[in-house]
Amino acid sequence: MAAHVPSNSSSSPLRGSPRALLPSIKTTTDHVRNLAKFPSSKWSQAYNKCAPNDIDLSAEWRQIEELKGEVGIKFDLYADKPLQQLTLIDSIQQLGLGYLFEEQIDQALTSMTNVDIDGYSLHQMSMYFRLERQHGHDVSSSIFKKFMGKDGALEEGFQSDVLGMVSFYEAAQLRVHADATILDKALATCVTHLESMAADLNPRLKTLVTNSLKLPIHKNMPWLQATKYISTYQEDESHDTVLLKLAKLHFNVLQKQHKQELSHLSKWWKDVDIVSKCPYARDKLVEGYFWALALYYEPHYSLCRKIFAMAIAYIAVLDDTYDAYGTADELELITESINRFNTSLFGEMPPYARALCETVFDVYSLIEEDLLKYGNVAFSLPYVKEAMKLVAKSYHNEYLWLKKKQIPTMEEYRQLSFASAGVTSLLILSSAGMGHIVTKEALDWIFSEPTFVIAAQGIVRFLDDIVSHEFEQQRQHVPSAVECYMNQYKVSKEEACQYLRKQVSDCWKSLNEGILKPTSFPFPVLERVLNIVRGAEVMYEDGDGFTHSQKLMEPKMTSLLKDPVAI
């Protein structure tokens, strides 16, 4: 596919920022290329072999609509039975079907904010709290006080209620900063009890406890949660057969759509051939598409998935160029070329750098073409271009700091490396494909990096640093948050990681605050910020799953992109 070749024009920045200031281009003569030993990738080749022809799924979607109608009737049947409605809503959402019943769920949960919950068990109260908070209703955490003793921990009588404690643990993931005095101690003791009793539980309860403690519902990718919950729900003797049938059919239909999209993307990536032109870099298109499913698994967000996956693919190569290959003069040329967004510097570049910039411009050209073709408003295009510039600027700033051979303070590190987490740019790029729900004001808000977005940046950056810092420090690399904290406060690696995990927990509280009503923007916009973080939670759950995906991510990736659910 031919690269987009801009002229010598460039758009004005959307905001003034120190990141926009670029050093003058100069030449250096001595440089040792900082190569990393990245594992090879098998994924792109695998999805090149998928069938390229579009699949007709219209018959399956008609069947889904019929089953959806049968399930929808139950909202009316349970209109006066809030507990049954809560259970139905919880199952629907965990099965990945929430968007199909969005209006009914919103109406039901809004009507339940004033129901009498005094008689609810710990499990029921926790489910009520979790679902209401997930949908922006600021239900008070004081509803849990009746389950707590004077010391703030769960009363002894509830400490043998495994299902209740798991549900409470799941609910507490929605806590905000103001909930600390009520929930934090109870949560800590709940975790201690669940960890101590897990080994002695029956297999089903043990799996429930282990999975919840490792990755709770609120922090998991919704589509990955669906694959887990389908089997769990099927084993529940009280499951709704129609709902289960709908969930299985729905999953398999969407998987077919996702596989076909990935096949088309893989062929584009092969034609671009940047992997052979930049062999030092990671090949991460498929991992990027997997991460896209964290943000946008629903069928109508096909363009968003495409944009996000393409962006991750080229950003990974760009990241490795700044981290592990480019010389000072080459990196300044790349940064300035992307900042100008034209080819005027190509004659001064080595072939690999020119190919990389061509790929960046090609991605923009494809985004531009798709946004205009699908009728989405063109106002987002300047934001897309600025988001792509921001990535290069942030990586270059990190490189310049590395050349200083100084370890930043934690505050300096936040200013430096939160931007290079890529959250702001990826949100701008992919949100542009959501259609008219994303306004100019929403894009301005994301670019302004409010507390909500900064919290997402912090989580992604700190989770990455905790699991990847040792591999990165095997070569010359900008210090991670782990090294910065260790150096500034003279503590051990373990203490630094403990501090960063606390920071991640606090950032999640800020995210949870950001979705409570009233909000300035529609929930689908805010949800993408939550979802990009959920993708990071999954990617970095067992280590650096983004870099070492074949070792750490294969079961998760194959469950979404290869293995259908048995009907």
Side-chain angles (χ1 to χ4, degrees), residues 463-511:
L463 288 176
D464 184 359
D465 283 359
I466 289 169
V467 299
S468 67
H469 72 100
E470 291 182 345
F471 175 75
E472 290 175 343
Q473 295 308 313
Q474 291 173 9
R475 65 188 192 279
Q476 193 180 25
H477 191 281
V478 68
S480 74
V482 178
E483 283 78 38
C484 293
Y485 192 80
M486 289 172 65
N487 181 69
Q488 184 173 350
Y489 297 101
K490 311 306 177 189
V491 298
S492 67
K493 179 181 70 176
E494 290 72 22
E495 290 172 304
C497 290
Q498 183 179 8
Y499 166 80
L500 294 179
R501 291 188 187 98
K502 174 65 166 58
Q503 294 300 298
V504 168
S505 178
D506 287 344
C507 287
W508 264 109
K509 292 176 183 177
S510 296
L511 286 181

Side-chain angles (χ1 to χ4, degrees), residues 14 34 119 155 161 181 266 288 300 315 319 352:
L14 294 175
N34 225 354
E155 288 187 344
D161 179 4
T181 55
S266 295
H300 50 284
I315 286 173
D319 185 15
Y352 90 88

Side-chain angles (χ1 to χ4, degrees), residues 529-567:
V529 183
L530 289 177
N531 283 348
I532 198 170
V533 173
R534 287 164 172 155
E537 290 277 1
V538 170
M539 280 286 185
Y540 302 127
E541 179 186 6
D542 300 310
D544 186 356
F546 184 72
T547 298
H548 303 281
S549 58
Q550 289 174 225
K551 178 181 178 182
L552 300 173
M553 294 292 295
E554 185 159 3
K556 298 171 185 174
M557 294 178 71
T558 55
S559 70
L560 295 190
L561 294 169
K562 181 182 177 183
D563 301 333
V565 173
I567 300 296

Side-chain angles (χ1 to χ4, degrees), residues 365-552:
S365 180
L366 290 172
I367 293 173
E368 180 182 49
E369 179 184 331
D370 282 333
L371 291 178
L372 296 175
K373 179 173 64 178
Y374 286 103
N376 294 336
V377 283
F379 71 81
S380 61
L381 289 171
Y383 292 86
V384 169
K385 189 174 288 186
E386 290 300 317
M388 299 176 89
K389 293 178 184 181
L390 177 58
V391 176
K393 293 170 189 173
S394 63
Y395 286 155
H396 193 236
N397 283 343
E398 279 197 334
Y399 176 81
L400 293 177
W401 191 280
L402 175 64
K403 293 296 102 180
K404 293 181 180 181
K405 298 184 179 179
Q406 296 176 1
I407 299 179
T409 65
M410 282 300 295
E411 185 55 36
E412 289 170 333
Y413 180 81
R414 285 185 174 91
Q415 295 294 323
L416 178 73
S417 290
F418 273 26
S420 67
V423 169
T424 300
S425 294
L426 287 168
L427 286 172
I428 291 289
L429 289 166
S430 59
S431 295
M434 291 180 69
H436 293 284
I437 194 170
V438 176
T439 61
K440 181 179 183 298
E441 290 73 23
L443 296 179
D444 282 333
W445 175 73
I446 295 172
F447 249 132
S448 73
E449 296 186 344
T451 300
F452 192 62
V453 173
I454 291 174
Q457 290 177 338
I459 295 172
V460 174
R461 170 51 63 206
F462 290 151
L463 288 176
D464 184 359
D465 283 359
I466 289 169
V467 299
S468 67
H469 72 100
E470 291 182 345
F471 175 75
E472 290 175 343
Q473 295 308 313
Q474 291 173 9
R475 65 188 192 279
Q476 193 180 25
H477 191 281
V478 68
S480 74
V482 178
E483 283 78 38
C484 293
Y485 192 80
M486 289 172 65
N487 181 69
Q488 184 173 350
Y489 297 101
K490 311 306 177 189
V491 298
S492 67
K493 179 181 70 176
E494 290 72 22
E495 290 172 304
C497 290
Q498 183 179 8
Y499 166 80
L500 294 179
R501 291 188 187 98
K502 174 65 166 58
Q503 294 300 298
V504 168
S505 178
D506 287 344
C507 287
W508 264 109
K509 292 176 183 177
S510 296
L511 286 181
N512 293 335
E513 286 175 354
I515 63 173
L516 294 178
K517 296 176 180 178
T519 60
S520 300
F521 301 100
F523 183 72
V525 176
L526 303 178
E527 190 177 22
R528 304 314 136 190
V529 183
L530 289 177
N531 283 348
I532 198 170
V533 173
R534 287 164 172 155
E537 290 277 1
V538 170
M539 280 286 185
Y540 302 127
E541 179 186 6
D542 300 310
D544 186 356
F546 184 72
T547 298
H548 303 281
S549 58
Q550 289 174 225
K551 178 181 178 182
L552 300 173

